[in-house]
Amino acid sequence: MFLILALISVGIAILFWLLDRVTLSPKGRYVLITGCDTGFGNALAKSLDRQGCNVFATCLTPNGAKKLEECTSDRLHVIMMDVLKSESIKEAFEEVQKKLPQGSGLWGLVNNAGVTGNVGYYDWWTRDDFRRILEVNLLGVIEVTNVFLPLVKKVKGRIVNMSSGIALAPCSAGGYAISKVGIETYSDCLRLQLHHFQTSVHIIEPSFFQTDGMQRKKAFDDPLERAWSRMSKEQQDAYGRSCIDEFKQLYGEISKTADTRIHLVTDSIEHALFAKYPWKRYPVGGLIRFVARPGGLLPSFIGDFLRYNFVPFPKPHRGQIRREDATREQQSVNGILEGLDCRLENIQRDTKSD
């Protein structure tokens, strides 16, 4: 009996493995990708172009657009678009409509554009700090999808949204984590709504990868310094300067040790776009697949205990400022006393000489 069950299990596993590798041809299909200046979007645009796919690659900067055009074929069309500006999104939509053949639409819409955001404790950041992250990573995705959705529905295509493994577990990623949790919920709801139109929605959940945002240490250091400079004396005393330094060191180490195999992410996006039987979610990286996602199934009190004790998270250094101030005051007093000693020695010397 056990042998029969084992054979059935192996047979089912082989069947799923084979079905997972049945793909559609990307040739002749039209895909729009946002955020193609660097990182995942840039690598994906180049890969799809090599496979014969017609790509609309949106870029934010002229320099990024120029570099992408120089290394791709005429199947790839670079379009300038800023997801923060509604007018820019509408102009990009009109340009795509003009370039699409009559009666065709977008097989794929890949919402990849995003910013890393601020790290650290939430009370370090202002409303404006949170607003920019949410407007790019969440509201920008929603607006781009709403504008281009008619073209995707037209051919019963696919929408791929870039989330993050950070959305699966609480961490120190500030507004970035909030925006990615929003992407998860938005994508799940959108998938149910678009089921009636035979249009599918897929979520990519990558771990830490060496993209342009992760390589720029200043993306973390400068905001942390800005946060420290505008803290009140009470906040500085509560957290301590070393808490800021530890956050900088932590994300500096994450940047250095991040996975360089970004093809794992672009391969997942391509599977979502062209697999006959695509997944709803794509956890990319061992940390997400075997730690973060299973960890999300634990009771909250267990998950909190494990994260608090085993996940690196700089803790406040209470009273550090007072100790530092006391040390400086003591040093100042010592300096004054040393000066007085020197004067007394000079006076004594002068008295003896007289």
Side-chain angles (χ1 to χ4, degrees):
M1 184 64 180
F2 175 78
L3 181 59
I4 293 174
L5 291 175
L7 290 173
I8 292 174
S9 299
V10 171
I12 292 174
I14 292 173
L15 177 62
F16 273 92
W17 184 83
L18 292 172
L19 291 176
D20 194 50
R21 279 150 182 76
V22 179
T23 59
L24 308 172
S25 174
K27 289 185 178 180
R29 298 180 190 270
Y30 289 83
V31 174
L32 184 139
I33 310 166
T34 66
C36 294
D37 296 80
T38 58
F40 300 136
N42 185 276
L44 178 65
K46 293 175 182 176
S47 175
L48 294 187
D49 176 57
R50 288 192 295 269
Q51 296 177 58
C53 185
N54 298 289
V55 180
F56 296 107
T58 76
C59 291
L60 179 62
T61 65
N63 186 48
K66 182 181 178 183
K67 287 183 178 179
L68 186 57
E69 284 180 324
E70 288 174 349
C71 61
T72 52
S73 72
D74 55 5
R75 286 187 300 273
L76 187 142
H77 308 282
V78 174
I79 298 174
M80 302 303 297
M81 187 177 81
D82 185 350
V83 298
L84 287 172
K85 299 177 181 177
S86 298
E87 193 59 38
S88 177
I89 296 172
K90 291 176 183 176
E91 289 174 358
F93 174 76
E94 292 171 0
E95 189 170 347
V96 168
Q97 269 194 318
K98 291 177 183 177
K99 294 182 183 294
L100 281 172
Q102 188 70 26
S104 64
L106 287 175
W107 173 255
L109 168 62
V110 181
N111 284 305
N112 167 74
V115 293
T116 53
N118 303 317
V119 300
Y121 289 84
Y122 284 138
D123 60 332
W124 294 358
W125 310 110
T126 66
R127 185 188 186 96
D128 287 337
D129 293 325
F130 284 105
R131 180 184 291 113
R132 178 176 178 272
I133 300 168
L134 293 173
E135 285 186 347
V136 175
N137 293 359
L138 180 57
L139 299 181
V141 169
I142 294 172
E143 184 169 10
V144 168
T145 302
N146 285 344
V147 170
F148 287 93
L149 190 55
L151 296 178
V152 182
K153 284 181 179 178
K154 195 171 185 178
V155 293
K156 300 175 182 177
R158 300 177 183 181
I159 297 170
V160 182
N161 290 333
M162 183 66 70
S163 179
S164 171
I166 285 174
L168 306 179
C171 65
S172 60
Y176 182 78
I178 297 173
S179 69
K180 293 306 181 180
V181 171
I183 286 292
E184 295 273 330
T185 303
Y186 167 68
S187 300
D188 285 338
C189 294
L190 185 65
R191 183 174 64 251
L192 295 175
Q193 294 175 7
L194 295 182
H195 174 74
H196 304 291
F197 299 94
Q198 295 178 282
T199 298
S200 60
V201 181
H202 312 272
I203 306 171
I204 310 296
E205 299 166 336
S207 181
F208 297 107
F209 283 85
Q210 280 280 13
T211 61
D212 189 57
M214 285 298 294
Q215 289 175 343
R216 290 198 308 263
K217 198 178 175 186
K218 285 186 178 180
F220 305 114
D221 289 2
D222 288 350
L224 284 168
E225 289 294 341
R226 186 171 66 250
W228 174 257
S229 67
R230 69 189 180 198
M231 281 185 198
S232 66
K233 185 70 175 174
E234 182 181 3
Q235 278 183 303
Q236 289 184 342
D237 192 26
Y239 288 103
R241 171 68 206 190
S242 58
C243 187
I244 294 283
D245 294 335
E246 286 178 18
F247 267 111
K248 291 166 67 174
Q249 182 179 0
L250 172 63
Y251 279 87
E253 290 301 318
I254 289 175
S255 300
K256 291 177 184 177
T257 58
D259 200 327
T260 58
R261 300 169 298 168
I262 65 171
H263 69 86
L264 296 176
V265 179
T266 56
D267 288 349
S268 296
I269 299 174
E270 290 179 22
H271 190 275
L273 288 171
F274 302 115
K276 180 72 173 176
Y277 307 102
W279 305 356
K280 305 303 180 187
R281 275 180 167 77
Y282 290 82
V284 188
L287 183 64
I288 305 303
R289 189 186 294 268
F290 302 113
V291 179
R293 181 155 285 287
L297 303 176
L298 294 172
S300 294
F301 75 94
I302 296 178
D304 288 353
F305 173 81
L306 293 175
R307 293 181 192 109
Y308 187 79
N309 289 280
F310 300 104
V311 176
F313 193 102
K315 296 174 177 60
H317 295 259
R318 297 179 184 278
Q320 180 190 358
I321 303 301
R322 291 196 186 98
R323 292 195 299 273
E324 290 176 351
D325 288 345
T327 302
R328 281 194 292 269
E329 289 175 5
Q330 186 63 47
Q331 289 173 346
S332 178
V333 171
N334 291 339
I336 293 171
L337 291 175
E338 287 175 4
L340 289 174
D341 288 341
C342 289
R343 283 189 175 185
L344 287 172
E345 287 177 6
N346 291 334
I347 291 171
Q348 288 172 356
R349 249 195 313 298
D350 292 342
T351 302
K352 287 180 181 179
S353 62
D354 291 342

